[in-house]
């Protein structure tokens, strides 16, 4: 499965280099070539294509791209006459496109801000946009230090690295956390996202929440600290880590493939915690819904103390209008969102290095999707 994911990601990155977007076209036949007539199929009992048709445009979070890939593979086996195009251009760009009426929904690793909700009343024609949490997972800190196969860092040390306070890999703060590692004097090359990114927002929320004295900047989608280098998208920073000796960056776990090593995080628990889906799920289960009405924006816990709870986490939301979605794409939007929120849709996430939403959260999402109009 891991090799398949690696091959699939390599092919996808190659396609993105050519087109700059992921265009996925739904087929009119099942995987075995039989016609489905546009109805439900045995490919997935949670996919209902009865009223789904036409083209569905969406954009946003690059962190959830692997999940979108997996979902569309199943959806295309069931639905006829539907074209899905998801452009993974970052959470900020996705929200902007949605608010301008260019897409049916947006993917964002951060919930909408109050001013964005206010602005959404224009495109939602008197209603407003809402956040639907669909995908969870760990934000891995990836590094490239030859000869160092295991590395532990705590929040303060991570903050000092990305705030340009710790400049070499043999710094005493890193040595103290890794007494058995042979740390070289290599210069640290810290990479951050150049685009507006929900991953950046969540990563800096972790730094601010877990190490406030070491991270003076306010959490935001736009990188605020001085120093370091930048790259576009999760795939961009992953590529820089892979090819740059001494590099370190943050990215959604599904991008830390092909030999990229990840940091274990020292928390209040007895043992450092690895960046895994299961460990992220333990932290996500402590999140609370803080959105009002049908908005399901969540407040994450960046300082878990439970054993095995990985603290650097994100939740990706699909953003739609509560009411007055575009009539020509409403039924197709509901069809697709209903599937990805279903038990079958959520079950594919773990194999793609993502965390399914907790049962109590995804149940609310399913109810909300059914009521979209």
């Amino acid at each position: 499965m891991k090799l398949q994911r690696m091959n699939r990601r390599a092919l996808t990155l190659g396609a993105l280099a050519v087109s700059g977007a992921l265009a996925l076209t739904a087929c009119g036949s099942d995987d075995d070539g039989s016609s489905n007539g546009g109805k439900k199929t045995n490919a997935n009992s949670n996919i209902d294509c009865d009223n789904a048709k036409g083209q569905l445009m969406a954009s946003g979070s690059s962190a959830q791209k692997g999940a979108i890939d997996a979902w569309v593979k199943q959806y295309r086996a069931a639905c006829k006459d539907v074209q899905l195009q998801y452009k993974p251009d970052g959470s900020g760009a996705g929200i902007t496109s949605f608010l301008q009426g260019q897409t049916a929904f947006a993917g964002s690793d951060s919930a909408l801000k109050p001013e964005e909700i206010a602005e959404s009343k224009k495109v939602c024609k008197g209603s407003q946009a809402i956040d639907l949490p669909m995908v969870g997972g760990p934000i891995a800190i990836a590094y490239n230090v030859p000869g160092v196969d295991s590395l532990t860092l705590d929040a303060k040390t991570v903050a000092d690295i990305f705030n340009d306070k710790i400049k070499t890999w043999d710094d005493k703060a890193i040595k103290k956390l890794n007494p058995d590692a042979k740390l070289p004097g290599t210069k640290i090359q810290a990479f951050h996202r150049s685009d507006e990114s929900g991953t950046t927002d969540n990563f800096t929320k972790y730094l601010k929440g877990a190490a406030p004295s070491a991270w003076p900047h306010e959490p935001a989608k736009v990188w605020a600290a001085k120093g370091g280098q930048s790259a576009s998208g999760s795939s961009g920073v992953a590529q820089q880590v892979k090819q740059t000796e001494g590099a370190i960056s943050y990215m959604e776990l599904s991008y830390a493939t092909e030999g990229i090593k990840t940091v274990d995080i020292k928390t209040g628990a007895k043992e450092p915690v690895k960046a895994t889906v299961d460990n992220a799920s333990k932290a996500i289960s402590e999140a609370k819904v803080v959105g009002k009405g049908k908005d399901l924006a969540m407040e994450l816990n960046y300082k878990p103390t439970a054993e095995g709870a990985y603290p650097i986490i994100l939740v990706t939301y699909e953003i739609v209008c509560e009411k007055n979605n575009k009539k020509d794409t409403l039924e197709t939007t509901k069809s697709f969102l209903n599937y990805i929120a279903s038990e079958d849709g959520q079950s594919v996430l773990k194999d793609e290095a993502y965390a399914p939403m907790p049962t109590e959260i995804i149940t609310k999402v399913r109810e909300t999707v059914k009521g979209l109009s």
Side-chain angles (χ1 to χ4, degrees), residues 36 53 117 141 156 166 168 185 208 232 239 266 268 286 308 327 335 357:
N36 61 38
K53 60 182 179 179
I117 292 178
I141 299 179
K156 182 181 184 306
I166 294 178
T168 62
K208 188 68 173 179
S232 178
Q239 183 62 28
K266 182 175 175 57
E286 298 181 16
K327 291 183 179 180
S335 171
M357 287 293 96

Side-chain angles (χ1 to χ4, degrees), residues 259-305:
I260 294 178
K261 293 171 286 190
T262 61
V263 170
D264 297 343
I265 300 298
K266 182 175 175 57
T267 66
K270 293 181 180 179
E271 297 294 330
V273 186
K274 294 185 179 298
T276 69
V277 170
D278 288 340
N279 290 346
S281 293
K282 293 178 182 178
I284 292 173
S285 66
E286 298 181 16
K288 299 178 181 178
V289 173
V290 295
K292 298 179 180 179
K294 297 295 184 180
D295 183 50
L296 299 177
M298 298 171 67
E299 182 178 82
L300 303 179
N301 179 14
Y302 296 104
K303 296 179 68 176
T305 57

